[in-house]
Amino acid sequence: MKLMTPQELEAALRDIGARRYHRLHPFHTLLHGGECSKCQVQAWALNRYYYQAMIPIKDASLIARCDDQATRREWRSRLADHDGERDGEGGIARWLKLTDGLGLDRDYVTSLQGLLPATRFAVEAYVHFVAEKTLLEAVASSLTELFSPAIIGERIEGMLKNYDFVTAETMAYFSARPPQAKRDSEFALDYVKQNAKTPEQQALALKALAFKCDVLWVMLDALYYAYVSPGHISAGAFAPA
Amino acid sequence: MKLMTPQELEAALRDIGARRYHRLHPFHTLLHGGECSKCQVQAWALNRYYYQAMIPIKDASLIARCDDQATRREWRSRLADHDGERDGEGGIARWLKLTDGLGLDRDYVTSLQGLLPATRFAVEAYVHFVAEKTLLEAVASSLTELFSPAIIGERIEGMLKNYDFVTAETMAYFSARPPQAKRDSEFALDYVKQNAKTPEQQALALKALAFKCDVLWVMLDALYYAYVSPGHISAGAFAPA
């Protein structure tokens, strides 16, 4: 292995996004193109809720392992973005406006009863990864946010155009995210470029981003398998009425 | 075991404080009474720095294990109190003003090289306790803050009066703490009163507070042993010039 310059490392990270980010997943093609039924959109929002709900848990576990005050302070803004300042604010609350708008019962959503087991496994793999790997790997695993503004733009436009049950208000989560994702991913990218100082560390950072792409991808595989290909809904998981 | 009312539980928690909080430790009697040498005050501030520095780590690990958004949001203010909004702000920075004011080199303090091993063990026991026990026990272990406004009042008054090397500016950490400690401990006390619902849980909460009193007490035992009783400074730990 050969040491890359920081610019080469960034290019390699962006190449992983270009090849493996879930923007390319066939479920998203259906979702954004108006080819999902309302039930399929509900299943997506319900399962993705668990990912949203666990984000502050994984971010706090990163802060808990970080002995640099400036990094902890910067990472803290992610907690504020997701948990907000009071009930009804923040990213998780905005996600629940989406599930509300889709006609899902809020207690049912937050109970997690309807989750696909694969969603649970994928999300928990991410949480454990961040809690257990090196800080560099934990930070690098967040870099899927480098690629999220583009997918969010496609999603807002596609879903508002194609589904009469989706409104700008229920999509509030997505309209708030791009500036947060931009700020967070720029910080994380700088961190990785500065702290991956050996070929081994650079390889671990790339592997961490690939792992995170896998997490997001597997969540959509599970949705596709359960709700697009017929007949595969796991016992106990959300099912169309 | 018999179930206590919330009021009885509070009284039992306060009784632990009355008997076991480190306000009663002989090192504090010396420190606040003007009977410590400058070197002994330095050793106290240097060792206690590690405790201060680890507080956001333990608080973030509590948030990381908490699935209730309102509690996470409330607990987040502790991160802000200790890490501040930028370099030079927050409780850890204020603690470093104290060590600066006492003539300790800042790099030496933050390197942790001069720590007594017992300080390290006690602080890390607390961090692991919060990371590994139930959330109720983790919250209950913070309740030593119920008792801190009184000791801080004694400390500010005693140290300003008795040591010409201590100024109001270097004591800024302590003047900022009481309102934070009051807010935090009231929240934590309510949490424990509401969530310790069985005799077993109440016993665990009481045990957690006793454990935390032990952590603080053991840190002072180590200082007393090393720096008041002569000749016991551990190899490599801070030593008088």
Side-chain angles (χ1 to χ4, degrees), chain B:
Chain B
M1 286 192 292
K2 156 178 167 300
L3 187 68
M4 290 179 265
T5 65
Q7 292 70 28
E8 288 168 341
L9 177 60
E10 177 174 346
L13 290 162
R14 292 189 181 278
D15 180 60
I16 289 174
R19 290 182 293 108
R20 300 180 62 168
Y21 188 55
H22 66 172
R23 181 181 178 182
L24 302 172
H25 195 283
F27 189 86
H28 274 160
T29 308
L30 298 178
L31 179 69
H32 303 159
E35 297 172 71
C36 281
S37 66
K38 184 171 180 181
C39 164
Q40 289 167 337
V41 179
Q42 286 176 323
W44 166 74
L46 173 79
N47 277 273
R48 172 85 181 206
Y49 168 77
Y50 186 51
Y51 176 82
Q52 300 303 138
M54 293 301 281
I55 291 296
I57 307 289
K58 76 95 187 163
D59 284 322
S61 79
L62 189 150
I63 299 173
R65 301 166 57 235
C66 177
D67 56 13
D68 176 62
Q69 241 193 320
T71 302
R72 287 205 299 267
R73 192 185 289 136
E74 178 70 26
W75 216 267
R76 203 173 75 214
S77 64
R78 296 170 180 245
L79 299 183
D81 289 344
H82 289 274
D83 279 335
E85 295 300 331
R86 54 194 66 77
D87 277 343
E89 297 183 359
I92 296 174
R94 281 192 288 274
W95 196 272
L96 289 169
K97 284 188 186 152
L98 173 65
T99 57
D100 287 347
L102 293 170
L104 291 163
D105 179 75
R106 191 175 274 223
D107 287 343
Y108 176 67
V109 173
T110 59
S111 76
L112 308 176
Q113 281 175 32
L115 284 191
L116 294 169
T119 300
R120 196 180 283 276
F121 299 163
V123 171
E124 291 178 3
Y126 183 34
V127 174
H128 286 129
F129 184 96
V130 171
E132 292 165 8
K133 295 286 182 175
T134 64
L135 204 61
L136 173 67
E137 293 166 277
V139 171
S141 71
S142 77
L143 285 174
T144 46
E145 284 192 303
L146 281 173
F147 320 118
S148 74
I151 200 175
I152 286 177
E154 292 172 2
R155 181 173 298 154
I156 293 174
E157 189 189 331
M159 290 182 70
L160 283 177
K161 189 173 81 184
N162 290 310
Y163 301 114
D164 57 10
F165 50 86
V166 166
T167 66
E169 200 201 338
T170 58
M171 296 291 276
Y173 174 80
F174 300 107
S175 33
R177 276 304 292 164
Q180 297 170 350
K182 182 170 186 298
R183 176 204 61 205
D184 291 350
S185 62
E186 283 173 355
F187 176 83
L189 180 59
D190 283 346
Y191 183 98
V192 170
K193 287 162 75 177
Q194 282 173 34
N195 289 278
K197 292 174 181 165
T198 67
E200 292 73 19
Q201 288 174 328
Q202 292 182 335
L204 287 173
L206 293 166
K207 201 171 154 192
L209 179 56
F211 161 80
K212 173 65 176 305
C213 287
D214 288 345
V215 167
L216 297 172
W217 196 274
V218 163
M219 288 171 66
L220 294 179
D221 280 351
L223 284 167
Y224 199 100
Y225 182 74
Y227 296 104
V228 181
S229 317
H232 292 129
I233 300 170
S234 311
F238 170 77

